[in-house]
Amino acid sequence: MNSDHYQFEIGINLQPEARELTVLFSGEGSPKPGHKVGPSVHDYYLVHTILSGQGVFVSEGHAYVCQAGDTFLITPGKLFSYESDKRTPWHYVWAAVQGEQALRLLSEAGLSPEKPVLQGADAAALHSIYQRIRLSFRQSPYPGLESLEASGWMRLLLHRLGLVSRNLENGAAEQPEMIDRQVEQAIRWISLQYHQQLGIGQIASSLGYHRAHFSKAFKERTGLSPKQYLMKIRMDKAKELLASRALTIDEVSSSVGFNDALYFSKQFRSWFGQSPSEYRSRLAPF
């Protein structure tokens, strides 16, 4: 137990490698009231997130009062100090990182030497990720894999912080409508999985929407219902496959998501005014 802390736990990377982003160590602690670190400098990036209590972080002469949900960044070569509050000492988690892309990734997450504090995160959600980072370093026979695992969890942590940063910068009213993003995701899903037995209800449910609401939003943005859009993708792809002449009609039908070749032919005629075989026969020969 660290004598300056009521609680102190740490996991250390035994095999840090030169990567875009490498976690050197990660820990959790509850320092005693008034516990102070610095003034000092580090040669790595060190991220702290406050779980409860409060304290003061000082970077390059600027003081920031930090409390639960706040995250602060210590930058290599930058003079810093931080001190636990004397009445409500903070409980925090931390992770140290280095790598050629570390600064870029931290900046994407909303933390930089110019903006070393990010406020308003869900401390409990971040806590669980920090724990996974620390527990990656379980001193197994495979420290290289432990390092890789920790880097993955660190990227997830930065992703979560980045979402908080975007909300703070843009405000909810200026955020792109979530339904717009979900429609875009559905379009990508249909465009990649048209050959599967897709159900519109399944897609809507997976994206968190009732089928009727999702279908209405989809049509408003594309001019087609999800079912019509799926059929259009299938029919356009069927024309491509028929033109290649590499597959039989039955094989084309199966390739674009139809189990019944007769039903496929009926749908093809409905869309293009001719059967698949008629369409193929009217194409110019190779």
Side-chain angles (χ1 to χ4, degrees), residues 111-132:
L111 292 167
S112 67
E114 297 73 31
K115 294 183 178 180
V117 176
L118 178 62
Q119 298 175 314
D122 182 340
L126 296 185
H127 185 200
S128 65
I129 302 177
Y130 276 101
Q131 286 180 316
R132 296 304 296 261

Side-chain angles (χ1 to χ4, degrees), residues 41 183 191:
V41 295
V183 168
S191 298

Side-chain angles (χ1 to χ4, degrees), residues 250-270:
D250 284 356
E251 290 169 340
V252 170
S253 170
S254 178
S255 296
V256 297
F258 291 90
N259 292 328
D260 186 337
L262 291 178
Y263 179 67
F264 162 67
S265 295
K266 180 180 178 181
Q267 291 299 318
F268 193 93
R269 181 184 290 278
S270 175

Side-chain angles (χ1 to χ4, degrees), residues 178-238:
M178 182 58 69
I179 186 64
D180 288 340
R181 296 184 181 180
Q182 301 295 50
V183 168
E184 290 176 7
Q185 186 171 342
I187 289 172
R188 289 194 295 271
W189 188 345
I190 292 171
S191 298
L192 291 172
Q193 299 293 316
Y194 62 87
H195 56 283
Q196 302 288 346
Q197 297 303 304
L198 292 179
I200 304 307
Q202 172 196 2
I203 296 175
S205 177
S206 297
L207 296 174
Y209 290 93
H210 186 276
R211 174 172 178 159
H213 176 65
F214 172 72
S215 295
K216 179 182 178 182
F218 191 99
K219 188 167 185 177
E220 287 175 351
R221 288 156 177 80
T222 66
L224 297 172
S225 70
K227 186 174 181 180
Q228 290 170 329
Y229 189 87
L230 172 59
M231 188 63 71
K232 180 180 184 301
I233 292 293
R234 286 174 167 172
M235 292 296 103
D236 288 344
K237 187 62 179 179

Side-chain angles (χ1 to χ4, degrees), residues 9-280:
E9 301 174 46
I10 192 168
I12 299 176
N13 190 342
L14 299 180
Q15 190 175 310
E17 299 178 356
R19 292 197 179 102
E20 290 184 347
L21 184 73
T22 299
V23 181
L24 301 176
F25 57 85
S26 182
E28 178 173 346
S30 296
K32 294 179 179 179
H35 170 254
K36 184 176 181 180
V37 176
S40 185
V41 295
H42 285 331
D43 57 1
Y44 46 77
Y45 295 96
L46 184 58
V47 181
H48 284 73
T49 295
I50 317 307
L51 303 179
S52 62
Q54 65 180 25
V56 176
F57 168 61
V58 179
S59 177
E60 295 285 276
H62 298 282
Y64 307 86
V65 176
C66 298
Q67 55 191 354
D70 294 348
T71 298
F72 64 83
L73 172 68
I74 294 168
T75 301
K78 299 285 187 180
L79 189 67
F80 74 90
S81 66
Y82 53 91
E83 183 175 355
S84 179
D85 188 78
K86 291 182 173 61
R87 293 187 176 180
T88 54
W90 50 19
H91 175 195
Y92 50 39
V93 282
W94 66 85
V97 299
Q98 65 180 16
E100 60 183 21
Q101 296 297 320
L103 179 57
R104 179 184 67 80
L105 294 171
L106 286 162
S107 297
E108 282 287 319
L111 292 167
S112 67
E114 297 73 31
K115 294 183 178 180
V117 176
L118 178 62
Q119 298 175 314
D122 182 340
L126 296 185
H127 185 200
S128 65
I129 302 177
Y130 276 101
Q131 286 180 316
R132 296 304 296 261
I133 295 172
R134 186 178 78 249
L135 294 175
S136 297
F137 305 126
R138 49 192 173 274
Q139 298 186 6
S140 73
Y142 311 104
L145 293 179
E146 293 180 2
S147 179
L148 189 63
E149 178 184 351
S151 296
W153 285 110
M154 189 67 202
R155 286 176 177 272
L156 179 58
L157 176 68
L158 295 179
H159 169 262
R160 293 289 179 85
L161 291 173
L163 293 178
V164 174
S165 172
R166 299 306 189 276
N167 285 332
L168 289 176
E169 291 177 359
N170 300 326
E174 297 181 16
Q175 287 290 309
E177 288 287 341
M178 182 58 69
I179 186 64
D180 288 340
R181 296 184 181 180
Q182 301 295 50
V183 168
E184 290 176 7
Q185 186 171 342
I187 289 172
R188 289 194 295 271
W189 188 345
I190 292 171
S191 298
L192 291 172
Q193 299 293 316
Y194 62 87
H195 56 283
Q196 302 288 346
Q197 297 303 304
L198 292 179
I200 304 307
Q202 172 196 2
I203 296 175
S205 177
S206 297
L207 296 174
Y209 290 93
H210 186 276
R211 174 172 178 159
H213 176 65
F214 172 72
S215 295
K216 179 182 178 182
F218 191 99
K219 188 167 185 177
E220 287 175 351
R221 288 156 177 80
T222 66
L224 297 172
S225 70
K227 186 174 181 180
Q228 290 170 329
Y229 189 87
L230 172 59
M231 188 63 71
K232 180 180 184 301
I233 292 293
R234 286 174 167 172
M235 292 296 103
D236 288 344
K237 187 62 179 179
K239 288 180 71 173
E240 291 180 25
L241 294 177
L242 288 167
S244 73
R245 303 178 188 271
L247 303 177
T248 67
I249 302 298
D250 284 356
E251 290 169 340
V252 170
S253 170
S254 178
S255 296
V256 297
F258 291 90
N259 292 328
D260 186 337
L262 291 178
Y263 179 67
F264 162 67
S265 295
K266 180 180 178 181
Q267 291 299 318
F268 193 93
R269 181 184 290 278
S270 175
W271 274 75
F272 301 118
Q274 54 189 323
S275 70
S277 57
E278 290 171 339
Y279 172 77
R280 174 173 276 176

